[in-house]
Amino acid sequence: MKKIITVCLLIFTLINFIEIPPALAAETAKGAEIFQINCAGCHAGGGNIVRWWKNLKIRTLKRNKLDSVEAIAYLVKNGKNNMSAYKDRLTETEIETVSDYVLKQAENGWH
């Protein structure tokens, strides 16, 4: 019985360490909100309705050297070709937040 209680306490402790901290969860939710409002029209689910081969999947981001928050943020801020620049519509913090969100979604296969 003592071993069972010890194992249960250990599992409970590990679960508490694995949970997403509230600040990180809020940041992810904010990134999702910014993405939904500003990006999902063209990039729903990490795709691209204008140029399908320029999607937000991790393989494509890596191929185009856009697999870092900094690189994505630069593109969001300044735009390129058909992609509009958002430096006049989003704050630096919002650009950073949505860029982090995009990279995390890409790494997780946009689930």
Side-chain angles (χ1 to χ4, degrees), residues 46-80:
N48 186 325
I49 65 167
V50 179
R51 295 180 176 175
W52 61 268
W53 65 94
K54 296 235 178 187
N55 57 59
L56 302 178
K57 311 293 180 169
I58 195 66
R59 183 176 176 183
T60 305
L61 293 177
K62 285 182 179 184
R63 183 180 64 233
N64 293 316
K65 296 180 177 56
L66 293 168
D67 56 335
S68 71
V69 172
E70 297 79 17
I72 296 168
Y74 182 85
L75 184 59
V76 172
K77 185 186 299 184
N78 299 297
K80 184 176 179 183

Side-chain angles (χ1 to χ4, degrees), residues 9-10 18 29 31 34 37 46 48-50 54 58 72-73 75-76 98 100 105-107 109-110:
L9 286 173
L10 180 61
I18 294 172
I34 295 167
I37 293 168
N48 186 325
I49 65 167
V50 179
K54 296 235 178 187
I58 195 66
I72 296 168
L75 184 59
V76 172
V98 76
D100 184 60
Q105 288 300 305
E107 290 171 341
W110 287 91

